[in-house]
Amino acid sequence: MNDLKLEDIAKLAGVSRSTVSRVVNASPNVGAATRKRVEKIIQTTGYHPNAAARSLASQRTNMIGLVIPRTTSAFFTDPYFPHLTQGVAFACNNHHMTLSLFLVGNQEDENEITPRLLRRGMLDGILLQSGNSDDMLFRRLISSHVPLLVLGRPFEEKSVNYIDVDNISAAKNATSHLIRLGYQRIGMITGAIRSTTSIDRQAGFKRAMAEAGKTIDPSLIVEGDFSENSGYVAMKKLLPLRPDAIFAQSDVMAIGAMRAVQEVGLDIPKDIAFVGFDDLPIASTLPIKLTTVHQPITHFGIKAVDLLIDMIEKGTKPAKRMILDAELIIRDSCGGNANNRPIVQGVEFEGSALKAPA
Amino acid sequence: MNDLKLEDIAKLAGVSRSTVSRVVNASPNVGAATRKRVEKIIQTTGYHPNAAARSLASQRTNMIGLVIPRTTSAFFTDPYFPHLTQGVAFACNNHHMTLSLFLVGNQEDENEITPRLLRRGMLDGILLQSGNSDDMLFRRLISSHVPLLVLGRPFEEKSVNYIDVDNISAAKNATSHLIRLGYQRIGMITGAIRSTTSIDRQAGFKRAMAEAGKTIDPSLIVEGDFSENSGYVAMKKLLPLRPDAIFAQSDVMAIGAMRAVQEVGLDIPKDIAFVGFDDLPIASTLPIKLTTVHQPITHFGIKAVDLLIDMIEKGTKPAKRMILDAELIIRDSCGGNANNRPIVQGVEFEGSALKAPA
DNA sequence: ATGGGTTATGAGAGCGCTCCCAAAGAAAAT
DNA sequence: ATTTTCTTTGGGAGCGCTCTCATAACCCAT
C-alpha cells in the first residue's frame, strides 16, 4: 500500500526531494508555506521514511544495543535486570532511539551475536553488562569501533568507559550499620565471586570491619551467586557457625537466606539480623521488611543511556566514568532502632507500594 | 580503522564485488578456490558487511520488534515478562535475528514509538503483547504493512495472527481440581479485568463451576491486576466472606493473597486452599509450595518467534493462530492429595531448582 | 538603483550493498 | 570437432535516503 518514497512526496508537493528531506528532518531552512504544504502531504499519505536508507546515507542508525553476556545471563532470573532494561528502554524512547536486546545464552549465542554487534550500520553504541574477566565478547567489543559503555566496573578499567554504583561505600555503610547495632558475629553471603560487583561489595564489608577494629572470620564469608537458592544454601552452611547478623550481597539472596533461618525456627532479627542489597520492591513487602542498600536501578539505566549518547555524539575520549551513590534503607530485618528511616523515592516502586494493613 | 567495504575485499582478492557478496552470503555458485581465497581475506581484514546497506538493498533487516503496550506495561513488575523476553531473545539468536524491545511507558512514549514501528526498512516483523481493546497502537499496527503476531488473544480476533495459551481450559482444570477436593466456597482473584487473559481465565472458572452444578457467588470474585499487591488487597476483601479456596489468576497475586491470609493467622491450605497461574520458579520454593497452572512462558516466546518468521517468509495469509496447552501442577497449597504430582520440566526453572532441605 | 548578505530551493553524487543479466569458461552431449 | 548445458564470474542498475554545493530569490543598507 504505502510504498511511497521521498521522491513521491516531493512530486506530490511540487518540490524537490531535498526540500521534503528538510521538512522530515525539521531543518530550519524551509519556507513556512512550503513546509505546511509538504507536511500536509506527508500527513495524508501516511509517509514514513525508510530507516535503512536513512541509516545508510547518514551513517546513523539511532539504535543502541544492550548486551547481557553469557557469564551474567543468570541475571535474568534476578529482578535487577528487568528494572535495568526498563530504565534503558525509557531513556531510549526519550532520545528517539531504538533499543536492541542481546541476551547471550551460551557459547553458540555468543558466536552468533558477536558479528551482528560488530557489523557497521547496525548500532550507534553498545551498553554492555559487565561480566567475568575472561569474557571473550568483552574483549572483542572493547577493541571495536562502536562506542561502548560498560555497566558495572569492568575488570580491566584502563581506557574503558563505564558506569557503576559505588559498591564499596554502600557495602561499607551497610556493614557499619550492623556493627553499630552491636552485632558480634557478622557473616556475609557474596555474589558470584568473579564479578567486580561482588568483589567491591566484599571490599566494602572488609573495610568496615577493619575500621571498627574487628577481625574477620573467613568461615563467615560464604559464596553465593546472587540467586535466591544460593542464599538459602549459603545460610545452611552459615547456621552452624552461629552468626548474629548477615550481610547478603543481594536482596534475593537475603530472601533465600531468611527462608533457611525461618525453617530452623530462628527469629529475624532477634536471633539473626539481615541486610540486603538492591532494594527491590519486594524488600519492603516481605513479612519482615528488609533493611537493604537502595540501588537506583532504573535511574542507572537512564544515566547509562544518556552517557552513551553523549559518547556517540561527542566522541569517546577521554574515557567516561560515572559512579552513582547507593543509600542504605533501614527497615526491620536488621533489628535495632528503625526510626531514622529514609523516605524511599523513585519509579521502581510503582505498582508494589504497599498500603499498611489495617 | 575497519572502514572496508565489499569493494575493498574484492580488490584485495582480485575478484568482483559480486563474488565477494556471494561468499559472504554463502551462495553455492562460487568456485572452491575462489571462496577460500576470499574467506581468507575477510578473515584477516576482519571485514563485516554494513547492515544498513544490506537492508536497503535486500529489503530485509533481520530484526523483529517486541512491543509491550502501555496498557500492559505493568507486566514488567511481573516475572512473566522477563521470561517471555528471554524466550523471544533466544529464538531470535537461533534465527540470526536481532531483537528490538519497545516498552511503551506512557502516551508520549506511544506517540514516539509508533512511527518507528511503522517505518519501512526497520523491522521485518512485530511481536505485540496483547493489551486493552482501546489500544490505539494495536489498531495502527494491525493496519500496517509489517507482519504482526499478537501475543495473547486480541479483542478483535478477525484476521489477526496470534498465539495464546489455552487459558479457558487451564483455568477450568484448576477450578475443577478445587471442586474435586471438596471445597465449597471457591473464590477467584482476577487479573486486569479488561485483558483477554483475565476474561478467558474467568470463563474457565465459570465453566468448571457450571459443569459441577455449583452456583457462583459473585461477591467471591474480586478484581486484581496481576500484581502482588492487588492480590493482597483482594484477599483482604475476600477474607470476611469466608472462602475455603481461592483461584488466583497469577502466582504473584496468589502470593500476595497468601500473605494476607497468613497475617490473620489462618492456615494454608487447611483454612484456605490456593491455586495460582503461571508456575513461576518461585511457586515451587515458597514455604507452602503453590499449586498452579504451568505456563510454558519461555517456550511460548520461542514458538512466537518461529511463527512470526514463518509469516515473514511465507506471507501472513491465511491468518495464523496457535494455542498452547497449560498444565496444572499440583503442590501443597491446594491441600488434598498431592501424590499424582507431575514432573516439572523445562528451561524456566534453571537456577532456582531447590534441593529439598535435609 | 546597486551591491552585499541572507534565506529558500534544486540538482547530483554518493552511502555499501544485492541481484539480475550477460559473458566467459568448463563440462557434457552429440 | 561442434553444439548444448551448466557453472563461475563480472558489470551495472538500483535500494531510498542525506548532504554538499550551486543557484535563485529576497532583504536591507547605502
Side-chain angles (χ1 to χ4, degrees):
Chain A
M1 43 201 118
N2 236 340
D3 293 36
L4 294 161
K5 36 178 154 178
L6 212 52
E7 191 88 46
D8 301 320
I9 304 298
K11 216 159 283 171
L12 286 170
V15 294
S16 75
R17 222 174 344 115
S18 308
T19 302
V20 180
S21 173
R22 287 190 191 97
V23 171
V24 169
N25 295 295
S27 155
N29 295 332
V30 183
T34 315
R35 160 165 287 133
K36 269 264 150 352
R37 189 152 36 94
V38 173
E39 274 170 350
K40 179 136 193 191
I41 306 260
I42 291 177
Q43 191 66 242
T44 60
T45 55
Y47 166 78
H48 288 284
N50 181 299
R54 181 187 284 218
S55 298
L56 179 57
S58 67
Q59 307 288 38
R60 264 283 228 138
T61 60
N62 291 309
M63 301 210 314
I64 68 174
L66 174 59
V67 182
I68 313 298
R70 189 159 48 92
T71 48
T72 355
S73 67
F75 264 37
F76 225 85
T77 57
D78 192 315
Y80 174 90
F81 191 64
H83 285 275
L84 174 68
T85 306
Q86 187 164 332
V88 171
F90 287 175
C92 282
N93 289 347
N94 291 340
H95 289 279
H96 302 276
M97 288 266 176
T98 296
L99 170 65
S100 285
L101 189 60
F102 298 84
L103 297 185
V104 184
N106 50 38
Q107 185 61 54
E108 293 121 71
D109 278 358
E110 185 169 324
N111 295 338
E112 201 281 315
I113 285 173
T114 311
R116 292 211 318 259
L117 254 21
L118 262 24
R119 196 157 285 172
R120 313 183 143 260
M122 179 82 180
L123 263 17
D124 284 344
I126 294 179
L127 254 25
L128 172 65
Q129 171 67 47
S130 168
N132 281 359
S133 55
D134 58 353
D135 214 301
M136 189 60 189
L137 182 59
F138 180 82
R139 253 170 282 150
R140 309 229 347 228
L141 252 28
I142 285 284
S143 61
S144 87
H145 55 96
V146 194
L148 176 75
L149 180 64
V150 176
L151 307 179
R153 182 171 72 79
F155 275 85
E156 178 55 80
E157 299 179 39
K158 202 158 153 36
S159 80
V160 357
N161 310 283
Y162 74 87
I163 176 170
D164 197 7
V165 157
D166 190 347
N167 283 302
I168 298 182
S169 300
K172 177 164 168 285
N173 289 343
T175 310
S176 295
H177 184 71
L178 253 18
I179 295 170
R180 205 177 311 124
L181 292 174
Y183 295 106
Q184 293 302 321
R185 291 183 58 74
I186 303 178
M188 170 166 62
I189 302 176
T190 76
I193 205 70
R194 310 188 55 198
S195 69
T196 53
T197 306
S198 179
I199 290 169
D200 289 353
R201 290 181 192 168
Q202 195 157 341
F205 173 85
K206 289 181 175 164
R207 195 172 298 177
M209 296 290 269
E211 284 188 11
K214 296 178 78 85
T215 56
I216 293 171
D217 178 352
S219 63
L220 287 180
I221 300 181
V222 178
E223 184 179 344
D225 63 6
F226 289 123
S227 74
E228 203 267 359
N229 188 48
S230 78
Y232 178 87
V233 171
M235 196 64 224
K236 284 277 179 194
K237 286 191 206 142
L238 245 13
L239 241 18
L241 306 174
R242 298 264 157 240
D244 56 2
I246 301 289
F247 167 46
Q249 286 190 7
S250 82
D251 285 357
V252 170
M253 288 196 297
I255 290 169
M258 288 161 79
R259 183 158 59 87
V261 169
Q262 285 169 326
E263 268 182 21
V264 298
L266 257 29
D267 184 80
I268 301 167
K270 231 171 66 182
D271 298 319
I272 303 185
F274 274 92
V275 174
F277 207 114
D278 281 344
D279 195 26
L280 299 174
I282 195 178
S284 54
T285 68
L286 254 20
I288 301 150
K289 296 188 179 51
L290 187 64
T291 292
T292 186
V293 175
H294 176 69
Q295 284 215 78
I297 308 180
T298 304
H299 186 241
F300 182 76
I302 293 173
K303 279 292 171 207
V305 173
D306 290 349
L307 190 54
L308 180 61
I309 288 176
D310 196 65
M311 286 165 50
I312 292 168
E313 280 164 1
K314 306 193 185 129
T316 57
K317 303 186 232 307
K320 302 279 188 299
R321 195 140 312 178
M322 186 181 279
I323 311 292
L324 304 180
D325 281 331
E327 169 195 20
L328 185 66
I329 309 288
I330 295 163
R331 296 204 183 91
D332 305 336
S333 68
C334 61
N337 151 4
N339 283 340
N340 56 340
R341 186 181 304 194
I343 305 299
V344 175
Q345 83 285 50
V347 57
E348 37 252 11
F349 295 89
E350 279 176 11
S352 42
L354 178 66
K355 265 185 219 135
Chain B
M1 43 199 116
N2 235 339
D3 294 36
L4 295 161
K5 34 178 155 178
L6 213 51
E7 192 89 45
D8 301 320
I9 304 298
K11 215 160 284 170
L12 286 170
V15 295
S16 75
R17 219 174 347 116
S18 307
T19 301
V20 180
S21 173
R22 287 187 193 100
V23 171
V24 169
N25 295 294
S27 154
N29 296 330
V30 182
T34 316
R35 158 163 292 132
K36 268 266 154 346
R37 188 152 35 97
V38 173
E39 273 170 352
K40 180 136 193 189
I41 306 263
I42 291 176
Q43 192 65 242
T44 60
T45 55
Y47 165 77
H48 288 284
N50 181 298
R54 181 187 284 218
S55 298
L56 180 57
S58 67
Q59 307 287 38
R60 265 279 229 142
T61 59
N62 292 310
M63 300 210 316
I64 69 174
L66 174 59
V67 183
I68 313 297
R70 187 159 49 93
T71 48
T72 354
S73 65
F75 265 36
F76 225 86
T77 56
D78 192 316
Y80 174 90
F81 191 64
H83 284 275
L84 175 67
T85 306
Q86 187 164 332
V88 170
F90 287 176
C92 281
N93 289 347
N94 291 339
H95 289 278
H96 302 276
M97 288 266 174
T98 296
L99 170 66
S100 285
L101 190 59
F102 297 85
L103 297 184
V104 185
N106 51 38
Q107 185 62 53
E108 294 122 71
D109 277 358
E110 185 169 324
N111 296 338
E112 201 280 316
I113 286 173
T114 310
R116 291 210 320 257
L117 255 19
L118 264 23
R119 195 158 287 171
R120 312 182 144 263
M122 179 81 180
L123 263 17
D124 284 343
I126 294 179
L127 254 25
L128 172 65
Q129 171 67 46
S130 170
N132 282 358
S133 56
D134 57 355
D135 212 301
M136 188 61 189
L137 182 61
F138 180 81
R139 253 170 281 149
R140 309 227 350 227
L141 252 27
I142 285 285
S143 60
S144 86
H145 60 276
V146 195
L148 177 76
L149 180 63
V150 177
L151 306 178
R153 183 172 72 78
F155 274 85
E156 177 55 80
E157 298 179 40
K158 200 158 154 36
S159 81
V160 355
N161 310 284
Y162 73 88
I163 176 169
D164 199 7
V165 157
D166 191 346
N167 283 301
I168 297 183
S169 301
K172 179 165 166 285
N173 289 344
T175 310
S176 295
H177 184 71
L178 253 17
I179 295 171
R180 204 177 313 125
L181 292 175
Y183 295 106
Q184 294 301 321
R185 292 183 55 73
I186 303 177
M188 171 166 61
I189 303 176
T190 77
I193 205 71
R194 308 188 57 200
S195 69
T196 52
T197 306
S198 179
I199 291 168
D200 290 352
R201 289 179 193 171
Q202 194 157 345
F205 174 85
K206 289 183 174 162
R207 194 172 296 177
M209 294 292 267
E211 284 188 10
K214 296 178 79 86
T215 55
I216 293 170
D217 178 352
S219 63
L220 287 180
I221 300 179
V222 178
E223 185 179 343
D225 63 7
F226 290 121
S227 74
E228 203 267 358
N229 188 48
S230 79
Y232 179 87
V233 170
M235 196 66 223
K236 284 279 179 194
K237 286 191 205 140
L238 245 14
L239 241 18
L241 306 174
R242 296 264 158 240
D244 56 3
I246 300 289
F247 169 45
Q249 287 191 7
S250 81
D251 285 355
V252 170
M253 289 196 297
I255 291 169
M258 287 161 79
R259 182 159 59 88
V261 168
Q262 286 168 325
E263 268 181 21
V264 299
L266 258 29
D267 184 79
I268 300 166
K270 230 169 68 176
D271 298 318
I272 304 185
F274 274 92
V275 175
F277 207 114
D278 282 342
D279 195 25
L280 299 175
I282 195 179
S284 54
T285 67
L286 254 19
I288 302 151
K289 297 190 176 53
L290 188 62
T291 292
T292 186
V293 175
H294 176 68
Q295 285 214 79
I297 308 179
T298 304
H299 186 241
F300 183 77
I302 293 172
K303 279 291 170 206
V305 173
D306 289 349
L307 190 54
L308 179 62
I309 287 175
D310 195 67
M311 286 165 52
I312 292 168
E313 279 165 1
K314 307 196 184 125
T316 57
K317 300 185 233 317
K320 302 282 188 297
R321 195 140 311 176
M322 185 182 279
I323 310 293
L324 303 181
D325 281 332
E327 170 195 18
L328 185 66
I329 309 287
I330 295 164
R331 296 202 183 91
D332 305 336
S333 69
C334 63
N337 153 2
N339 283 341
N340 57 338
R341 187 180 305 190
I343 306 298
V344 175
Q345 83 286 51
V347 57
E348 37 250 12
F349 295 88
E350 280 176 9
S352 42
L354 178 66
K355 265 187 218 133

